[in-house]
Amino acid sequence: MKKVLIHTFPVMLVFISLILINNTFNPLILKGPDFLKFYLMLVFGFYASILILQFFKERISEITYCFTGLIFLLGIVKMTRGILLGKPVGFLLLLLFLQIMVFYFIRSDNTNPR
């Protein structure tokens, strides 16, 4: 339960800032720079929570991988939407590639048995 709260806190902060700053709850309708700000805050906040767990020597749980997958899926959906609309998606593509690399690093670093 503690791990879920640690991961939920930065995600909720980002969505609260999305509501307060952009007056929407749907990040997919944001334009390019606004979505990138939102996505960077979401990714960095989430990975900061992973670093906090690793600092306290907690095991990375399956809920962490679920959160990572959902964040990645949000980026894929927005990238697909941008490609279909003919918008530049290079920076988002770079972020998704870096997210895959970090995911594999976390996955390989997590060697604790259950």
Side-chain angles (χ1 to χ4, degrees):
M1 185 67 176
K2 179 173 67 171
K3 294 176 189 177
V4 173
L5 290 175
I6 289 175
H7 292 313
T8 305
F9 184 70
V11 172
M12 290 305 296
L13 283 178
V14 170
F15 274 98
I16 289 171
S17 71
L18 177 70
I19 292 169
L20 294 177
I21 294 171
N22 296 318
N23 299 324
T24 183
F25 190 70
N26 185 3
L28 294 176
I29 64 170
L30 295 175
K31 300 291 183 191
D34 292 331
F35 179 78
L36 287 176
K37 287 180 206 172
F38 164 78
Y39 197 70
L40 280 172
M41 288 189 316
L42 182 65
V43 168
F44 286 133
F46 181 73
Y47 286 131
S49 69
I50 291 176
L51 288 175
I52 290 170
L53 284 178
Q54 287 181 342
F55 178 74
F56 290 121
K57 308 243 188 285
E58 292 284 333
R59 184 181 171 279
I60 304 298
S61 65
E62 293 299 317
I63 193 73
T64 303
Y65 299 125
C66 291
F67 270 108
T68 304
L70 289 174
I71 292 171
F72 184 75
L73 184 64
L74 175 67
I76 291 292
V77 168
K78 186 62 176 180
M79 184 186 69
T80 305
R81 186 169 182 244
I83 289 172
L84 291 176
L85 294 174
K87 304 291 183 184
V89 293
F91 193 67
L92 182 58
L93 188 63
L94 177 68
L95 286 174
L96 292 172
F97 179 71
L98 289 174
Q99 192 174 356
I100 290 171
M101 289 175 36
V102 169
F103 175 76
Y104 281 120
F105 177 74
I106 290 171
R107 187 78 171 173
S108 67
D109 192 40
N110 189 21
T111 58
N112 295 343
R114 286 184 173 211

